[in-house]
Amino acid sequence: MSQQQENVKIAGCSFSVHPMSDDFKEKIKGALEKIDTSKVWMNTDEVTTTVRGDIEHVFDVTRAVFLRVAETGVHTALNATFSVGCPGDSEGDQYTGHKEKPENGLWDLDQYTGAKFSLYPMGGGNYMDVIYKGIERMKESGIEVSEAHYATKLSGDTNTMFKGLEEVFSDTEKSGSSHTVMTVAMSANSPSQERGNK
Amino acid sequence: MSQQQENVKIAGCSFSVHPMSDDFKEKIKGALEKIDTSKVWMNTDEVTTTVRGDIEHVFDVTRAVFLRVAETGVHTALNATFSVGCPGDSEGDQYTGHKEKPENGLWDLDQYTGAKFSLYPMGGGNYMDVIYKGIERMKESGIEVSEAHYATKLSGDTNTMFKGLEEVFSDTEKSGSSHTVMTVAMSANSPSQERGNK
Ligand SMILES: [Ca+2]
């Protein structure tokens, strides 16, 4: 299939999930076993896990890993860098063009989370406008939004937040940003959270 | 003091450190108590800790927090976003212009770590050249360097790595990047690491 026919840029995410408990290995392994990763390319090394594929599948797998670890109840942190259009990106490890919808579900899982995200539309242009528009859309999606240094702070339902973040990321890419990066830090079940799970 | 006299852009870092153990709270608290934070502005919320000040002090405090947690021996992850020149940055929370050198020391602490870093010189220009130059400098500093999706993989001594990362960050800023962002993920004492501490 030619590049033109395909017409889909490979997206990806490099993430790490941190269950803060002595049995962190079992918690991560247990989460991964329950997740459908058949629609992404996936690789784990000592620092992060990388998933590559269509934007919707990349977000679906990352969301499911975080939810599966967080539902064990331990304090869980996720750090994720989503990327599409990186000029240094290899052509390998592609896995795009799936017609199927993501399969991981878990949409009925109530999980409160605090988060910070930053959007980096690379390659020049009036990128601050894209960022401010993205922040407005997060507010409209029902997530509490506040300012922080170097990031926008979010709090609310994990699934709603992931949907909003995926929308921001997709819209930035569609708006003409040739290389879009979004970083997300999430923290669930934190002892310092003011609100617990609903 | 006027902006012109000061002539120092406020740098900062938003980071989270994750000791993967049941007593994670005690480990973080214990680390923070041993660290000199008198030369940075510092604030912790439920998602990250933010430090602001001169580049050398910001890197020194972040390095010391990671080393102090990692030296307890538990699997420890650090996720950090360094930033300087963000157009949306507030003028508050400044703490720059210290003549003193950073005080946290710990340079004799041998701690192997795996890491991934990405450099985002924002606002256009031939930024890939800056990134490739930065990667070459990391190699010259004695750190093992390899390619990864969306990042450059590093492994070696934590102190050497931090020195290299600070150099890359400073050089990018000095080279004319009006807004420079660098993300770093580090993992020490990982059970999946091939090499242990020396
Ligand atoms: Ca832990």
Side-chain angles (χ1 to χ4, degrees), chain A residues 171-193:
Chain A
D171 285 357
T172 304
E173 201 268 330
K174 283 178 202 153
S175 78
S177 167
S178 63
H179 174 200
T180 303
V181 173
M182 186 166 75
T183 61
V184 181
M186 280 191 183
S187 171
N189 310 323
S190 164
S192 62
Q193 268 160 8

Side-chain angles (χ1 to χ4, degrees), chain A residues 59 63 66 107 111-117 138 141-145 152-168 182 184-187, chain B residues 46-47:
Chain A
F59 273 82
R63 177 185 62 87
F66 181 64
W107 296 109
Q111 176 69 56
Y112 171 84
T113 193
K116 287 183 178 175
F117 88 102
M138 290 299 297
S141 75
I143 296 294
E144 276 182 62
V145 179
T152 300
K153 198 156 186 277
L154 308 173
S155 56
D157 175 66
T158 303
N159 279 317
T160 309
M161 202 180 290
F162 261 96
K163 272 291 166 206
L165 290 168
E166 181 181 339
E167 204 168 72
V168 166
M182 186 166 75
V184 181
M186 280 191 183
S187 171
Chain B
E46 81 190 65
V47 184

Side-chain angles (χ1 to χ4, degrees), chain A residues 10-14 16-25 28 41 45-52 75 77-81 83-84 86-90 92-93 112-116 118-125 127-128 131-132 147-151 153-155 178-179 181 183 185-187 189-194, chain B residues 10-14 16-25 28 41 45-52 75 77-81 83-84 86-90 92-93 112-116 118-125 127-128 131-132 147-151 153-155 178-179 181 183 185-187 189-194:
Chain A
I10 181 91
C13 182
S14 173
S16 50
V17 63
H18 308 295
M20 279 172 260
S21 67
D22 290 347
D23 64 344
F24 65 94
K25 271 199 293 188
I28 293 172
W41 177 92
D45 62 29
E46 82 189 64
V47 185
T48 71
T49 293
T50 305
V51 291
R52 284 160 61 82
H75 180 22
L78 173 81
N79 289 90
T81 299
S83 181
V84 63
C86 179
D89 202 1
S90 77
D93 308 329
Y112 171 84
T113 193
K116 287 183 178 175
S118 302
L119 190 63
Y120 305 113
M122 302 292 291
Y127 59 89
M128 291 308 284
I131 294 175
Y132 292 134
E147 287 181 24
H149 287 300
Y150 317 120
K153 198 156 186 277
L154 308 173
S155 56
S178 63
H179 174 200
V181 173
T183 61
M186 280 191 183
S187 171
N189 310 323
S190 164
S192 62
Q193 268 160 8
E194 286 158 28
Chain B
I10 181 93
C13 181
S14 173
S16 51
V17 62
H18 307 295
M20 280 173 261
S21 67
D22 290 347
D23 63 345
F24 66 94
K25 271 199 294 188
I28 294 172
W41 177 91
D45 62 31
E46 81 190 65
V47 184
T48 71
T49 292
T50 305
V51 289
R52 283 160 63 80
H75 181 21
L78 174 80
N79 289 89
T81 299
S83 181
V84 64
C86 179
D89 202 1
S90 77
D93 307 331
Y112 172 83
T113 192
K116 286 183 177 174
S118 302
L119 190 62
Y120 304 113
M122 303 292 292
Y127 60 88
M128 292 308 284
I131 293 175
Y132 292 133
E147 286 183 23
H149 287 300
Y150 316 120
K153 196 154 186 279
L154 309 173
S155 56
S178 63
H179 175 199
V181 173
T183 61
M186 281 192 182
S187 170
N189 310 323
S190 165
S192 63
Q193 268 159 7
E194 285 157 30

Side-chain angles (χ1 to χ4, degrees), chain B residues 64-176:
Chain B
V65 170
F66 181 64
L67 280 175
R68 283 296 191 193
V69 176
E71 75 170 347
T72 68
V74 298
H75 181 21
T76 302
L78 174 80
N79 289 89
T81 299
F82 296 90
S83 181
V84 64
C86 179
D89 202 1
S90 77
E91 288 174 17
D93 307 331
Q94 300 220 9
Y95 214 133
T96 59
H98 280 281
K99 300 294 176 223
E100 303 89 18
K101 286 280 156 199
E103 295 291 358
N104 278 300
L106 303 174
W107 295 108
D108 57 348
L109 223 166
D110 274 344
Q111 175 69 56
Y112 172 83
T113 192
K116 286 183 177 174
F117 88 101
S118 302
L119 190 62
Y120 304 113
M122 303 292 292
N126 199 356
Y127 60 88
M128 292 308 284
D129 285 351
V130 179
I131 293 175
Y132 292 133
K133 188 188 158 203
I135 289 169
E136 280 309 306
R137 293 191 70 138
M138 289 299 296
K139 285 181 190 169
E140 289 161 17
S141 76
I143 296 294
E144 276 183 61
V145 179
S146 57
E147 286 183 23
H149 287 300
Y150 316 120
T152 299
K153 196 154 186 279
L154 309 173
S155 56
D157 174 66
T158 304
N159 279 318
T160 309
M161 201 181 288
F162 262 96
K163 271 293 166 204
L165 290 168
E166 181 181 337
E167 204 168 73
V168 166
F169 186 76
S170 294
D171 285 356
T172 305
E173 201 267 332
K174 284 177 199 153
S175 78

